[in-house]
Amino acid sequence: MRWTSLAKWNTLRNQMLIGFLLVMLIILTVVGGITFNSVSTLLKNNAERHIQQTAVQANGRLDALLDKVDTLTTQIATNDYVQKLLLREAAGIPSGFNERQSLLQIANSYMAYSSGIQSLELYTKDYRRLFPLDEIDLGSRVDRDWIAAADAAKGRLVWVGIDPRQPSMVLAIRRVSLIDRSYSAGGYLTVHLNRDYFVMNDDLANEAPRDGEFMLLADGKGTPITSDLSLADARSALEQEGRDVRLGGEELIAVRQSSATSGWTLVLLTPVHATTEGISVLRTAILVSVGIGAFLFALLTLLLSTMMTRPILKLMKTMRGARLGGLKPNPSPAPAVAALEIRELNNTYNQMVTDMNELIRVVYEKELTQSRTELKALQAQINPHFLFNTLEAFYWSLEDKGEEELARIVVAMSGLFRYVIGGASGDEWVTVRDELEHAERYLQIMQMRLGDRLSWRIEADSGLEEVPIPKLLVQPLVENAILHGVENKLGPGTVTIEVARSERPGYAVVVVRDDGPGMDEEKVASLLKGAEGRPAGSSRGTGVAMANVQRRLKLYFPEAEAEGEREGDEGRSQGQPGLRIESEPGRGTTVSFEIALPGEKADGKTSEKPGEEGDRA
């Protein structure tokens, strides 16, 4: 009921109105969106450049703090007393208590120049601590990797970052080089600084989060040293890459600066909304423009659609009258004042009525012809039905007389005839399972004539039994294998039929192999040439089976490409699209072809029912 009430509004005028209006809205929306995004991007880029300048200044301040500590530790490392003490330690003369106690005065005098240094520690080159006065080993205070880095720096200060044993401190280490010994390693100097020493955004540090710019300093391992954010937000910001960072559902612009002195990273974060203030005015202007444009366009479209559909409505009344009174041409032509398109529509309607009357007559005659054809087809079914009933009678007669072997042969012949003549559908396609069962029935019949001289083996990979294959492709190849392989061999012979997945994705390969006398290369080439150009009506013994199979393979699987001519260690192989033959005198013959797997390759196109199969040669 609801659909019926809505259907009356489904008119051409309404469709034109809604269609044009939607197009206009889409265009205005896209243009407005592009404009809005362009302005937003411009504001973000300007804000990013401003933040970049701030980050460069902050990074300069950071390098100045680091240089100050580097200069101070350089003075300590080159102090005459420290050099003298480490020279004696390198010569194997241990320092006394008073000598080590004197280092306290030196350390205090230098630490007075920097409020950020919490403590200084001096170690010998064998990691024994000289100052403060205890026997703590350097390896227990600093990781071996950082000691190795200090050795590689050859006297330059190495910034470790957050001290893993004192998270409230920042750790730096440098190797003390002995000037009187050609700057060889004499010991190590470690510096512990308060993390507050690196706070460079005091004004922002006291503000509430998300109100302005945020500054974050992280060491080389990505551990925050100082930050205006919470620890979780700081780590999240360091894990994210790119310009845009999202924290707690809010989007921020991130600018990163790396310190060449320490390898630390300085990150400045600014909320996006702070950079796009005033964009709401532009958004309002765009929405108002879209609304006004949509209203004017809807009004214009309504007028235009009414002018176009009114003549069509009059023509619809004429067509409705023709429908109620029978399929007749419109006797009254379109008025002269009507548009060219309306007059052409009227003429087209009259021509359509004439063509439909002619089509009705043709369809009626076609139905009569089809009925006669179906009657003839029903009559034609009587002959194979009579043949199957006769073979059935032979079977029961042989069963009653105890001729079980002959009875099995008759059953095989009945199945053979049923398969060849076709089922009710008359389809050219069967499954691999049906084709292999048909080939096995043929082998059973041939075993009656050859006896123990014939044996066979049939194999198919799992999942390939239901693959579609054109009917009667395998049996002609089996017939050739028996006629030219097993019968021409002294002693028993074997015919092998295999169905396996091909090396090419999307294909399966069907192989028929015999262990007969085989053929030389010239015979194989002649056989393939004959199969390629053999006429369909060739008689028995002229290779009609190979030619028939070859032509049908090309029709059903035109996309299959041949592997070309190939020579191996055990024989010769030649092929083209369709059949491939591998044979060598005294080694038997192998004939194979590929079929497409449904779902992986498209099915081959249908063709007419194949003609009579003959022999290979």
Side-chain angles (χ1 to χ4, degrees):
M1 185 65 181
R2 180 179 301 176
W3 172 250
T4 304
S5 61
L6 294 177
K8 64 180 181 179
W9 298 101
N10 188 21
T11 61
L12 179 60
R13 186 182 67 173
N14 292 340
Q15 290 179 358
M16 293 174 61
L17 177 62
I18 296 175
F20 289 156
L21 184 60
L22 287 177
V23 171
M24 185 61 183
L25 287 175
I26 291 174
I27 293 175
L28 293 176
T29 302
V30 171
V31 172
I34 293 175
T35 304
F36 183 80
N37 289 333
S38 300
V39 175
S40 299
T41 302
L42 180 62
L43 292 176
K44 287 183 180 179
N45 292 336
N46 292 335
E48 184 178 6
R49 286 193 293 269
H50 172 71
I51 300 171
Q52 188 76 31
Q53 295 175 358
T54 304
V56 171
Q57 296 174 1
N59 195 50
R61 294 176 57 191
L62 174 63
D63 288 341
L65 294 175
L66 298 178
D67 291 341
K68 183 177 180 180
V69 176
D70 181 69
T71 301
L72 185 64
T73 55
T74 300
Q75 294 175 358
I76 296 175
T78 57
N79 181 271
D80 292 339
Y81 187 80
V82 173
Q83 289 280 322
K84 179 180 178 181
L85 198 64
L86 291 178
L87 276 172
R88 295 183 59 190
E89 289 288 339
I93 302 174
S95 301
F97 176 81
N98 293 331
E99 294 173 328
R100 295 171 62 185
Q101 183 68 25
S102 299
L103 292 174
L104 176 61
Q105 182 178 359
I106 297 175
N108 291 334
S109 63
Y110 281 107
M111 290 171 59
Y113 290 100
S114 177
S115 60
I117 298 179
Q118 180 69 22
S119 64
L120 293 170
E121 297 176 0
L122 183 65
Y123 297 85
T124 64
K125 66 178 181 180
D126 57 356
Y127 302 165
R128 183 169 52 84
R129 187 155 79 176
L130 295 178
F131 176 80
L133 303 177
D134 52 32
E135 301 301 327
I136 296 178
D137 185 77
L138 176 61
S140 63
R141 298 282 291 168
V142 182
D143 291 341
R144 299 284 181 172
D145 294 339
W146 290 110
I147 298 176
D151 290 333
K154 296 181 179 180
R156 294 190 302 273
L157 187 64
V158 176
W159 290 95
V160 178
I162 296 297
D163 188 350
R165 294 168 178 80
Q166 291 180 293
S168 61
M169 298 291 176
V170 176
L171 174 65
I173 182 174
R174 74 183 309 154
R175 191 188 77 177
V176 179
S177 300
L178 299 178
I179 300 175
D180 294 341
R181 287 197 176 186
S182 302
Y183 293 94
S184 61
Y188 300 92
L189 177 66
T190 63
V191 185
H192 290 81
L193 301 98
N194 293 320
R195 296 174 66 172
D196 296 339
Y197 179 70
F198 300 97
V199 174
M200 293 167 289
N201 198 8
D202 295 335
D203 295 336
L204 294 176
N206 297 325
E207 293 183 5
R210 310 293 190 269
D211 287 341
E213 293 184 351
F214 302 93
M215 187 172 295
L216 169 63
L217 178 64
D219 61 16
K221 295 182 179 180
T223 304
I225 297 177
T226 61
S227 173
D228 302 327
L229 303 169
S230 64
L231 182 60
D233 287 346
R235 290 177 177 175
S236 177
L238 292 172
E239 291 174 355
Q240 300 181 51
E241 298 180 357
R243 186 187 70 173
D244 297 329
V245 174
R246 183 169 292 277
L247 297 177
E250 183 177 0
E251 186 177 0
L252 298 93
I253 298 177
V255 175
R256 299 172 176 83
Q257 284 286 330
S258 179
S259 173
T261 303
S262 61
W264 295 351
T265 301
L266 181 66
V267 184
L268 265 68
L269 301 168
T270 302
V272 173
H273 67 79
T275 65
T276 58
E277 293 180 358
I279 197 68
S280 59
V281 178
L282 176 63
R283 185 189 300 112
T284 303
I286 292 175
L287 293 177
V288 171
S289 300
V290 170
I292 295 175
F295 173 76
L296 295 177
F297 193 80
L299 182 61
L300 179 61
T301 303
L302 180 61
L303 296 175
L304 180 61
S305 60
T306 301
M307 294 174 59
M308 295 177 59
T309 56
R310 182 172 296 173
I312 297 177
L313 292 175
K314 295 181 179 179
L315 181 60
M316 286 176 56
K317 294 179 180 179
T318 303
M319 295 173 64
R320 188 177 295 112
R323 183 189 64 182
L324 298 176
L327 194 58
K328 298 178 182 180
N330 185 12
S332 59
V337 294
L340 175 63
E341 291 81 0
I342 302 301
R343 294 199 301 270
E344 182 64 25
L345 182 60
N346 184 77
N347 296 334
T348 303
Y349 169 74
N350 291 335
Q351 184 63 38
M352 180 191 66
V353 171
T354 303
D355 294 341
M356 290 185 65
N357 287 331
E358 179 65 21
L359 181 61
I360 290 173
R361 184 185 63 82
V362 173
V363 171
Y364 176 73
E365 293 179 355
K366 183 179 179 180
E367 288 291 337
L368 290 178
T369 303
Q370 184 177 358
S371 298
R372 296 191 185 98
T373 303
E374 291 179 355
L375 289 174
K376 292 181 179 179
L378 292 174
Q379 293 174 0
Q381 292 179 0
I382 297 177
N383 293 334
H385 183 69
F386 169 75
L387 175 61
F388 297 150
N389 288 342
T390 303
L391 290 174
E392 189 75 10
F394 284 166
Y395 169 74
W396 288 113
S397 177
L398 292 172
E399 279 285 335
D400 293 340
K401 294 179 180 180
E403 298 289 344
E404 295 181 358
E405 183 177 359
L406 290 177
R408 287 195 300 269
I409 297 301
V410 170
V411 170
M413 289 180 63
S414 177
L416 198 71
F417 289 149
R418 289 181 185 272
Y419 187 84
V420 173
I421 293 174
S425 62
D427 196 355
E428 281 284 339
W429 291 82
V430 296
T431 63
V432 169
R433 185 194 309 277
D434 296 335
E435 188 72 0
L436 295 181
E437 290 177 354
H438 173 68
E440 186 172 12
R441 286 192 293 266
Y442 175 77
L443 289 167
Q444 291 174 354
I445 294 174
M446 295 304 296
Q447 192 177 38
M448 180 179 180
R449 180 166 65 90
L450 298 176
D452 295 338
R453 290 185 57 195
L454 174 63
S455 60
W456 65 85
R457 180 171 56 86
I458 300 177
E459 296 180 353
D461 287 356
S462 176
L464 299 180
E465 293 88 350
E466 302 302 325
V467 172
I469 184 174
K471 183 190 289 188
L472 295 177
L473 284 183
V474 178
Q475 184 268 333
L477 303 181
V478 175
E479 182 179 352
N480 282 343
I482 295 175
L483 180 62
H484 299 280
V486 176
E487 289 189 1
N488 291 339
K489 178 182 179 181
L490 297 178
T494 302
V495 175
T496 302
I497 306 174
E498 298 177 353
V499 181
R501 286 188 173 271
S502 175
E503 296 180 356
R504 294 197 306 163
Y507 287 90
V509 59
V510 181
V511 181
V512 178
R513 183 183 299 109
D514 66 72
D515 55 358
M519 298 176 288
D520 56 19
E521 186 177 0
E522 181 179 357
K523 179 64 176 178
V524 172
S526 175
L527 183 61
L528 286 171
K529 183 177 180 181
E532 189 69 20
R534 185 71 58 189
S538 300
S539 60
R540 177 180 175 84
T542 59
V544 64
M546 300 289 288
N548 185 289
V549 173
Q550 179 73 324
R551 286 197 304 275
R552 290 199 292 148
L553 284 174
K554 287 187 176 182
L555 290 174
Y556 286 119
F557 308 106
E559 73 280 3
E561 298 180 358
E563 296 181 0
E565 186 171 339
R566 180 180 60 193
E567 297 209 1
D569 297 335
E570 299 183 356
R572 292 176 293 274
S573 172
Q574 296 188 20
Q576 61 275 339
L579 291 175
R580 291 190 292 271
I581 301 178
E582 300 178 8
S583 184
E584 186 178 356
R587 303 295 294 271
T589 301
T590 300
V591 181
S592 62
F593 59 87
E594 290 183 340
I595 59 175
L597 297 177
E600 301 180 25
K601 287 290 183 178
D603 291 340
K605 61 182 181 180
T606 59
S607 66
E608 295 181 358
K609 185 176 180 179
E612 179 185 357
E613 282 76 6
D615 297 327
R616 178 189 305 171

